[in-house]
Amino acid sequence: MKKHNTALTIAGSDSGGGAGIQADLKTFSACGCYGMSVITAITAQNTQGVSDIFPVESSNIEKQIDAVITDIGADAVKVGMLHSAGVISLVARKVKQYEIKNLVVDPVMVATSGDKLLQDEAIEALKSELLPLATIITPNIPEASILLGKKITSQSEMPEAARELSFNQSVSVLLKAGHLSDENLIDVLYDAEKDEIVKLPSQRIKTLNTHGTGCTLSSSIAAFLARGETLQTAVANGKDYIDQAIKAGKDYQTGKGHGPVHHFFRWWK
C-alpha cells in the first residue's frame, strides 16, 4: 500500500477561506501532501477584517491533536494562530510528547487587515515555550519587531535580526521583507543547522490580494519538509510556490478587501 506524506496544521479557522486552516489545507494539497487540521479558534472573517474570534477549549484542542497523531501521524506540523498563552503551552507540550520533527511556526499576531490575533500575555509564552522547539519560524517584519522588542526598518538589518531570533542558533528563521517599502524584496533565511545566511530575492507584486500569504508560505514549507526535502530546498520551493500563487491570484476579485492568493494555479486559471 502507498503512504501519503502527511502535514498537520494547528491554527485558527478563517470563514472567508483565504487564510488560517483553510489556506493551509489548500496549500498542503497543492504541494503534494495529505492535510489534516486542529482548529484552535473560529473567526468570523472575510477579506475586509475579523469581526469575531471564538476560542476553542484547550481540552478539545488536545483531543484533536491526540486523535490525528496517534492514528495518522504527521511528517510535518505547521502552527499558526494560537490566540492565548494556555493554548501555546498546550501545543508546546504536545510537540514534546509526540517528538514532532518538522515543526514550522508562523508566529501569527496581526491579520493582513490589521486586526490583532494574539493576546499580549501570549507573546512571552510563544517566545519561551513554543518557538525554541521549532525547526523554522517564519515571522514578517512587524512580528519580528515584536519578538525582538525593536523595530526593523531596512533590509540591511534583516540578517542580524534573523540570527537574533534563532534562540542561540538552534532554530532556523525565515524573515520576510514584504512589509518594507522596497520594490526588490530580499527575504532572509538563517539556516541554524549550517549557521548560514541565505538571501532569497523576489520582485514585489502589485496586488491587494495578499490575504493569507503568511499562512500559505509557512504551510508550503511544512509540506515540502514532509516530503523529505532539506530545509533550504523546502524554503526555496515554498517561496516559489507563494510567488506564483500571488501572481496567479492578482487578477481575481474575491470580496471587497484583501483577496486571497490562487492556491491551485497549477490546475486551473
PDB file of all heavy atoms in Angstrom, residues 93 110 124 140 143:
ATOM      1  N   ARG A  93       3.648  21.422  24.773  1.00  0.00           N
ATOM      2  CA  ARG A  93       3.701  20.137  25.491  1.00  0.00           C
ATOM      3  C   ARG A  93       3.452  18.972  24.548  1.00  0.00           C
ATOM      4  O   ARG A  93       4.111  17.927  24.621  1.00  0.00           O
ATOM      5  CB  ARG A  93       2.666  20.152  26.626  1.00  0.00           C
ATOM      6  CG  ARG A  93       2.531  18.832  27.376  1.00  0.00           C
ATOM      7  CD  ARG A  93       1.803  19.019  28.690  1.00  0.00           C
ATOM      8  NE  ARG A  93       0.471  19.589  28.536  1.00  0.00           N
ATOM      9  CZ  ARG A  93      -0.611  18.879  28.218  1.00  0.00           C
ATOM     10  NH1 ARG A  93      -0.523  17.575  28.004  1.00  0.00           N
ATOM     11  NH2 ARG A  93      -1.788  19.476  28.116  1.00  0.00           N
ATOM     12  N   VAL A 110      -0.908  39.503  13.917  1.00  0.00           N
ATOM     13  CA  VAL A 110      -1.793  40.514  13.336  1.00  0.00           C
ATOM     14  C   VAL A 110      -2.229  40.044  11.957  1.00  0.00           C
ATOM     15  O   VAL A 110      -1.408  39.543  11.175  1.00  0.00           O
ATOM     16  CB  VAL A 110      -1.079  41.878  13.213  1.00  0.00           C
ATOM     17  CG1 VAL A 110      -2.010  42.922  12.619  1.00  0.00           C
ATOM     18  CG2 VAL A 110      -0.573  42.346  14.575  1.00  0.00           C
ATOM     19  N   GLU A 124       4.916  36.299  25.392  1.00  0.00           N
ATOM     20  CA  GLU A 124       6.027  35.754  26.182  1.00  0.00           C
ATOM     21  C   GLU A 124       5.994  34.234  26.193  1.00  0.00           C
ATOM     22  O   GLU A 124       7.043  33.580  26.147  1.00  0.00           O
ATOM     23  CB  GLU A 124       5.993  36.306  27.605  1.00  0.00           C
ATOM     24  CG  GLU A 124       6.470  37.738  27.721  1.00  0.00           C
ATOM     25  CD  GLU A 124       7.843  37.958  27.112  1.00  0.00           C
ATOM     26  OE1 GLU A 124       8.757  37.140  27.395  1.00  0.00           O
ATOM     27  OE2 GLU A 124       8.007  38.928  26.354  1.00  0.00           O
ATOM     28  N   ASN A 140       7.071  37.882   9.793  1.00  0.00           N
ATOM     29  CA  ASN A 140       7.222  39.050   8.937  1.00  0.00           C
ATOM     30  C   ASN A 140       7.890  40.158   9.756  1.00  0.00           C
ATOM     31  O   ASN A 140       8.226  39.957  10.934  1.00  0.00           O
ATOM     32  CB  ASN A 140       5.884  39.484   8.338  1.00  0.00           C
ATOM     33  CG  ASN A 140       4.839  39.808   9.400  1.00  0.00           C
ATOM     34  OD1 ASN A 140       5.164  40.271  10.497  1.00  0.00           O
ATOM     35  ND2 ASN A 140       3.573  39.567   9.085  1.00  0.00           N
ATOM     36  N   GLU A 143       6.059  41.183  13.087  1.00  0.00           N
ATOM     37  CA  GLU A 143       6.149  40.105  14.078  1.00  0.00           C
ATOM     38  C   GLU A 143       7.558  39.987  14.647  1.00  0.00           C
ATOM     39  O   GLU A 143       7.745  39.820  15.856  1.00  0.00           O
ATOM     40  CB  GLU A 143       5.711  38.786  13.436  1.00  0.00           C
ATOM     41  CG  GLU A 143       4.227  38.744  13.121  1.00  0.00           C
ATOM     42  CD  GLU A 143       3.837  37.710  12.080  1.00  0.00           C
ATOM     43  OE1 GLU A 143       4.731  37.117  11.432  1.00  0.00           O
ATOM     44  OE2 GLU A 143       2.619  37.506  11.888  1.00  0.00           O
TER      45      GLU A 143
END
